[in-house]
Amino acid sequence: QSIELYRLSPYCRALVPKEQKLYIEKLIAIDSDDPFLFPSELWKSSGFPNLSEHDVFQYCVAKHSKSTGLQLCAYKAIRDAEQYVSCGWVKDIFRVTLSNSIVIVSCRVHHSQSIRKSLLNPWAAIKRDMSIICSSCDCEAGLGGVCLHVGAMLYKIIAVNNLPCTVSCTK
């Protein structure tokens, strides 16, 4: 018999044991229930972390894998991500701020292989210092945390924060 520390989504429960363990480790790292279970009224469409391209590079390329100790080197997640944003393939971006000040960002992204497939649902956890703790996506490569869809979401955050002001702005 086991004790459940965090509420798990059907997505997590459907993973094979090894992958489920990796996903639960992410929940432990953010000290939270599964973001897939957050009620819609908690998600906000403004107030995103002020990420930079450097922050995204550090997470997608320079970070080391916990399991192998090797750098992730997910250059594709960066190379193609900006194109996903400019083509409008990143949809419905939202954020939730947890009680521990970690911000969870989620969106919907078109599938890399087919525009007709269901939209994918990446999420990322970001600290106040803009370091990205972990991320996940419900695509095949998503448990690694640095798939193209996560990269596209991170670049969408940068784009949203750099939109020109269209209402009267005060400094």
Side-chain angles (χ1 to χ4, degrees):
Q1 190 172 15
S2 63
I3 298 171
E4 190 171 297
L5 298 176
Y6 303 105
R7 291 183 318 127
L8 306 177
S9 66
Y11 165 76
C12 178
R13 291 183 187 284
L15 295 171
V16 297
K18 184 177 180 181
E19 291 174 346
Q20 190 178 72
K21 181 179 184 274
L22 290 172
Y23 193 82
I24 291 170
E25 286 174 1
K26 293 177 185 195
L27 300 180
I28 292 168
I30 63 173
D31 191 25
S32 174
D33 288 337
D34 193 329
F36 287 133
L37 295 176
F38 293 172
S40 59
E41 60 269 10
L42 290 182
W43 294 98
K44 308 295 180 206
S45 59
S46 62
F48 294 98
N50 196 20
L51 285 181
S52 68
E53 289 187 39
H54 174 76
D55 299 319
V56 176
F57 179 87
Q58 287 296 327
Y59 181 70
C60 293
V61 177
K63 184 177 178 176
H64 288 77
S65 166
K66 282 186 176 183
S67 59
T68 66
L70 300 173
Q71 275 187 301
L72 295 175
C73 296
Y75 290 103
K76 181 175 172 53
I78 289 178
R79 186 185 68 229
D80 296 345
E82 287 183 281
Q83 184 176 359
Y84 264 55
V85 173
S86 64
C87 290
W89 281 26
V90 182
K91 309 285 185 191
D92 307 324
I93 188 161
F94 295 101
R95 61 113 187 129
V96 169
T97 302
L98 303 177
S99 60
N100 58 11
S101 299
I102 293 171
V103 176
I104 306 294
V105 179
S106 183
C107 69
R108 297 177 337 124
V109 180
H110 281 282
H111 200 281
S112 337
Q113 303 301 318
S114 172
I115 194 79
R116 291 187 176 103
K117 288 187 178 180
S118 298
L119 294 178
L120 296 163
N121 302 288
W123 62 263
I126 305 167
K127 288 185 188 179
R128 277 184 198 226
D129 67 359
M130 298 308 131
S131 61
I132 301 163
I133 302 167
C134 62
S135 63
S136 192
C137 181
D138 54 356
C139 72
E140 288 185 28
L143 281 175
V146 289
C147 66
L148 170 60
H149 313 106
V150 166
M153 177 183 61
L154 297 174
Y155 270 94
K156 179 68 173 187
I157 295 168
I158 295 169
V160 166
N161 284 332
N162 291 311
L163 286 174
C165 184
T166 58
V167 294
S168 63
C169 296
T170 57
K171 292 186 178 186

